[in-house]
């Protein structure tokens, strides 16, 4: 089961390596991670998505996270009401031939073209996992040349 | 100067900790980091934003990144034409009193309300750094209760 965990940390050297190490030491692979600075100087926010095969081990990891001196707060969103979103940028073929069709698809999803160059369009879209999956699937008919994702972020309802 | 670096890696245990360790060992703090899986199984994509005080040290770090066995590709976008975007979710006060004003502001930025509950609205917005900064600044008048960011992602033009 995928868990989305939010961690507030002091932005000091080595915190990220220590936190990543806590997961990898137990054979847990982080499937997505989003780290950014907050309003407050020297405080960063991390959103970690991890596929927990064993809930007990995840509980241990969360306890150890809480024990790290630079960790301020740990929230597991799994059993809480929350919203999750992710951002993607994707480069697809964009020619006179497929222009109208691509635009209609993007309108349906409220996705934007942020750049056009040499018959290539860069598309920006943010949404829930399911929407992203569907859009990317529909974009495949145009030829997806590149896809970059941020990883999910979450906010409690 | 802020550098945006894109790294394609094999998604194995410990890769993230090793990469984070490369930066922290040289006293380099990662200001934002976005890691997500790609189309290909077991390959992840990382976008690292780092404030490089010393360009020579950054060159060393990039060389060492390239030498890591699980690193497939390293791209520094700094001197390349590219687009950067970031996603934010923010919780602000939302009452009958400020409703119209908030909606007008969100329309101006093409930002969306994704949830309303107990006089609180959750706002979703993706854009360039400058737009995000301006929107967050304008949201402050409504009372920002929470702000979560993904960190930037980048795509070559």
């Amino acid at each position: 089961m995928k868990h989305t965990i939010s961690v507030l940390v002091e932005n000091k050297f080595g915190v990220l390596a220590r936190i990543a190490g806590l997961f990898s030491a137990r054979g847990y692979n982080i499937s997505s991670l989003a780290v950014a600075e907050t309003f407050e100087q020297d405080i960063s926010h991390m959103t970690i998505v991890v596929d927990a095969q064993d809930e007990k081990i995840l509980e241990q990891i969360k306890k150890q996270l809480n024990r790290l001196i630079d960790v301020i707060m740990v929230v597991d969103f799994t059993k809480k009401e929350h919203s999750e979103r992710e951002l993607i940028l994707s480069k697809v073929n964009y020619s006179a031939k497929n222009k109208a069709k691509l635009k209609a698809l993007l309108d349906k999803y409220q996705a934007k073209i942020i750049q056009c160059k040499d018959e290539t369009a860069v598309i920006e879209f943010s949404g829930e996992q399911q929407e992203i999956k569907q859009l990317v699937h529909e974009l495949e008919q145009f030829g997806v040349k590149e896809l970059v994702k941020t990883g999910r972020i979450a906010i409690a309802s």
Side-chain angles (χ1 to χ4, degrees), chain A:
Chain A
M1 185 190 178
K2 291 236 175 182
H3 283 251
T4 303
I5 299 164
S6 170
V7 187
L8 211 59
V9 298
E10 306 241 5
N11 191 11
K12 288 188 189 150
F13 301 131
V15 180
L16 179 60
R18 268 199 298 283
I19 290 180
L22 270 189
F23 286 87
S24 61
R26 274 155 203 81
Y28 266 53
N29 228 354
I30 290 174
S31 57
S32 90
L33 172 66
V35 187
E37 284 161 349
T38 64
F39 275 135
E40 284 169 79
Q41 222 190 340
D42 302 328
I43 295 188
S44 285
H45 182 273
M46 309 173 80
T47 311
I48 302 168
V49 177
V50 69
D51 199 356
Q53 299 85 355
D54 184 335
E55 302 284 328
K56 272 187 201 156
I57 294 178
L58 188 69
E59 283 308 315
Q60 283 174 16
I61 295 176
K62 285 193 278 177
K63 269 185 198 154
Q64 286 183 301
L65 272 174
N66 267 311
R67 257 185 243 135
L68 287 181
I69 195 151
D70 298 322
V71 168
I72 300 161
M73 199 174 66
V74 180
V75 178
D76 186 347
F77 281 110
T78 318
K79 286 170 190 161
K80 288 184 207 300
E81 259 193 80
H82 68 284
S83 302
E84 286 192 0
R85 291 292 185 280
E86 182 168 9
L87 169 68
I88 63 161
L89 292 176
S90 182
K91 218 181 255 182
V92 298
N93 292 316
Y94 185 69
S95 61
K97 230 170 45 188
N98 67 25
K99 210 169 176 170
K101 202 174 171 191
L102 180 63
K103 282 200 167 165
L105 174 65
L106 299 181
D107 281 349
K108 189 174 103 184
Y109 283 89
Q110 290 188 275
K112 281 187 273 187
I113 291 180
I114 59 168
Q115 204 190 47
C116 281
K117 199 179 153 188
D118 306 333
E119 304 223 313
T120 300
V122 175
I123 290 155
E124 175 189 359
F125 178 68
S126 65
E128 293 178 273
Q129 292 302 301
Q130 196 52 32
E131 290 172 291
I132 289 176
K133 224 172 145 179
Q134 280 167 4
L135 172 61
V136 171
H137 178 69
E138 293 206 57
L139 283 175
E140 276 164 11
Q141 64 186 300
F142 300 96
V144 175
K145 292 174 170 183
E146 239 181 292
L147 176 68
V148 188
K149 303 193 286 181
T150 55
R152 304 181 214 177
I153 51 171
I155 200 163
S157 296

